[in-house]
Amino acid sequence: MLFAGFILMAILALIEVGGFSGLTTGMEAGATSFLGIDQIGALPALSLAAVIAIGVLATPSFRQRIYSGKSVKSVRRSFLITGVLYLGFSIIPAIIGMATHALNPGLENSNFAFPFLATEIMPLGLGLLLLVAGLSATMSSASSDAIAGVSTLIRDLYVLATGRTPSARNVVRFSRIALVATIGLALLFALASDNVITYITRMISTILSGLFVSAMLGRFWSRYNWQGAIATLILPQRPL
């Protein structure tokens, strides 16, 4: 439903701006270059691409799905299919964002591009349905990440601190406490930023970069140990 809605929104937005040629209306020429290099420079463009790649490779929920896979073959096949779908679907948000800029170049916050199209361009009923679908997809992704955080706290940190797993009668209670702590911490991080790109960049530079290096070294370097993993996670937090 969400994919179909995004595709429909992109089609209607294209019609509204007059086709692909209308997407660049009022847009600086450098913004349409590869990775926007002519607009923001080579280093910032490559840095943003690297940030997104590291964020995907280091996401804990993805790793948990790998561990829960039936076999290595099924995991590889599922991630290959997912990657192809992501690659194809990534075009849709770009069209939506560019169309919004063409239709409303004065939009102060680019994070409101989706709500703007849903409420101003699309039919009211369909727009509201897409807003609800988008919210449900966001909550679904958030719940997966929250579950990953709870699993880490209960199965890793708790065991590391106590030397044993929680008893059966305490698992639910501890999981609820861990869930509240995880969501509360995520909320504090979100409140500290008012821009999605800035938030992603900060989170990846301070947290996921260490997880990425730890995962890569743990996979390809046999001498990598737990002391090195802790150092890898702590060092990105230190100011330069």
Side-chain angles (χ1 to χ4, degrees):
M1 175 62 187
L2 182 63
F3 285 171
F6 265 93
I7 293 173
L8 179 59
M9 177 179 286
I11 293 174
L12 292 178
L14 278 175
I15 295 174
E16 193 71 21
V17 299
F20 284 100
S21 60
L23 290 177
T24 57
T25 301
M27 187 179 298
E28 296 184 16
T32 60
S33 61
F34 178 69
L35 295 180
I37 291 178
D38 295 342
Q39 177 74 12
I40 62 176
L43 185 59
L46 294 176
S47 298
L48 182 58
V51 160
I52 295 173
I54 291 174
V56 172
L57 291 172
T59 300
S61 58
F62 290 168
R63 204 161 306 283
Q64 287 188 337
R65 292 165 188 166
I66 293 174
Y67 296 152
S68 62
K70 181 180 180 181
S71 64
V72 174
K73 182 179 179 180
S74 65
V75 170
R76 288 176 175 171
R77 183 174 62 251
S78 63
F79 269 76
L80 178 61
I81 295 173
T82 302
V84 173
L85 291 175
Y86 271 29
L87 183 62
F89 184 73
S90 64
I91 301 173
I92 304 300
I95 292 176
I96 292 175
M98 294 173 69
T100 302
H101 178 76
L103 293 170
N104 187 5
L107 188 65
E108 295 183 359
N109 194 332
S110 59
N111 298 327
F112 295 147
F114 178 80
F116 169 78
L117 288 181
T119 57
E120 301 293 335
I121 303 301
M122 303 192 72
L124 179 60
L126 184 58
L128 291 176
L129 183 61
L130 285 177
L131 286 176
V132 173
L135 180 61
S136 65
T138 302
M139 294 178 65
S140 176
S141 299
S143 66
S144 297
D145 292 335
I147 291 173
V150 171
S151 298
T152 300
L153 289 174
I154 298 299
R155 299 291 299 177
D156 297 322
L157 296 182
Y158 182 88
V159 174
L160 182 64
T162 64
R164 64 181 186 277
T165 58
S167 60
R169 68 175 184 274
N170 290 327
V171 168
V172 174
R173 179 162 59 91
F174 288 172
S175 296
R176 289 173 177 171
I177 295 173
L179 180 62
V180 172
T182 301
I183 295 176
L185 186 61
L187 178 61
L188 291 177
F189 283 142
L191 292 176
S193 178
D194 58 356
N195 183 279
V196 173
I197 298 299
T198 302
Y199 176 75
I200 292 174
T201 304
R202 288 176 179 174
M203 289 298 296
I204 291 177
S205 63
T206 57
I207 297 178
L208 290 184
S209 58
L211 288 175
F212 169 75
V213 175
S214 179
M216 292 296 102
L217 291 180
R219 172 63 179 83
F220 296 107
W221 190 22
S222 59
R223 298 182 61 185
Y224 191 64
N225 52 27
W226 68 268
Q227 294 93 337
I230 292 177
T232 303
L233 295 175
I234 293 177
L235 286 178
Q237 319 302 324
R238 297 180 59 187
L240 296 176

